[in-house]
Amino acid sequence: MADLISKIGVIGVGHLGQHHVKHLSNNNVFSFSGIFDVDTDRANKIAVEYNCNAHDSLNDLLNNCDAVSIVTPTLTHAKIAEQCIMAGKHVFIEKPITKTVAEADRLLNLAAENNVLIQVGHIERLNPALIPLKNFELNPKYIEVQRLAPYTVRGTDVPVVLDLMIHDIDIILSLVNSPVKNIRASGVSILSDSVDIANARLRFENGTVASITSSRIARDKVRKIKIFQKDMYVTIDFLLGLTEIYRVLEADQDDPDALETASLEAYGNHKKIVYEKPDINQFDALEMELTNFIQSINGNDKPIVNGQAGRDALDVAVKIHDMILEDIH
Ligand code: NAD
């Protein structure tokens, strides 16, 4: 078992980083070592708000902690994470792990050499609405995902595929137990200098097809996934925290969780469709994710999204994005 960690800090305390500080500065398991942000005004404001230490330099923070959460803009992840890993610190890196796959591979190698953990903040994997799927044997044939968001400048330092679509790529890779066979993709730039709307179709070696649409030019937020497999259809609304499951059962089979039942003539037999709406236990996914990081460092758990998973999602995202650029030019 790894040594129990006692001190953790946060690097980058902007829009998302402040929430990391909120959770990490308020727990009974380890001590909070404080924060570092190149924007000293912002760092001081957050330090006052959460009654913690704003360090003058990254090195100063690293000298006072065993692990860090990196919540800086994506383009800075590789350099900052490398410095932390070389200092022997476990790192939680917000998604995407890095901008390039070569950078991610370098971090994975360095982490192995330095015997530290990398965890990646693909928070949607912990969305409470996904939890009921654990009760079913999943073998998706077709997956359709939509993730739309109103435009904000934050996040536009990377294309929409690395900003939004990568959440869904990570979820899909976790649901489909097969390598990606081929990718088709197209997209357009509307407001930023990079791709703002993208559509990709992944075909996996086992025949599963996934269609993903992501846009940061939308009036309202939409985050939905539909999963189709033999005799089962699941639809999840991540924003509403709503999971609905339709299953085909034998006509005489009972389902105690069924809310509605309809008869169905299928495959020349009399069957029935049952509709279930599992109760969703709401929890704070960020708190859960950071707790999972600490528990994993202490050897009491495994990272839900480890560095390799973060790297694999990035690899598919980069291939999609490269294909879009090829298509545009
Ligand atoms: P932000 O711009 O609001 O905050 C970034 C902070 O990092 C700023 O305070 C900035 O001063 C600081 N910073 C910049 N360079 C730094 C450096 N070299 N050292 C220390 N601090 C530095 O950005 P944000 O929206 O909080 O996003 C941060 C990261 O979180 C990005 O990688 C983004 O993709 C990711 N993110 C993930 C999710 C999610 O759903 N998991 C959601 C939003 C953002």
Side-chain angles (χ1 to χ4, degrees), residues 14-16 37-39 71-74 77 94-95 121 154 167:
H15 176 75
L16 185 57
D37 196 301
V38 285
D39 179 343
V71 203
T72 57
T74 300
H77 288 183
E94 260 309 332
K95 53 66 37 186
R154 246 179 330 99
H167 281 294

Side-chain angles (χ1 to χ4, degrees), residues 32-46:
F32 188 56
S33 333
I35 60 180
F36 171 67
D37 196 301
V38 285
D39 179 343
T40 46
D41 288 345
R42 175 74 185 171
N44 290 335
K45 178 177 177 293
I46 296 294

Side-chain angles (χ1 to χ4, degrees), residues 10-11 33-41 43-44 47 52-64 83:
V10 175
I11 305 168
S33 333
I35 60 180
F36 171 67
D37 196 301
V38 285
D39 179 343
T40 46
D41 288 345
N44 290 335
C52 65
N53 190 5
H55 293 268
D56 293 338
S57 67
L58 179 52
N59 266 335
D60 192 42
L61 170 61
L62 293 180
N63 287 336
N64 287 283
Q83 191 175 340

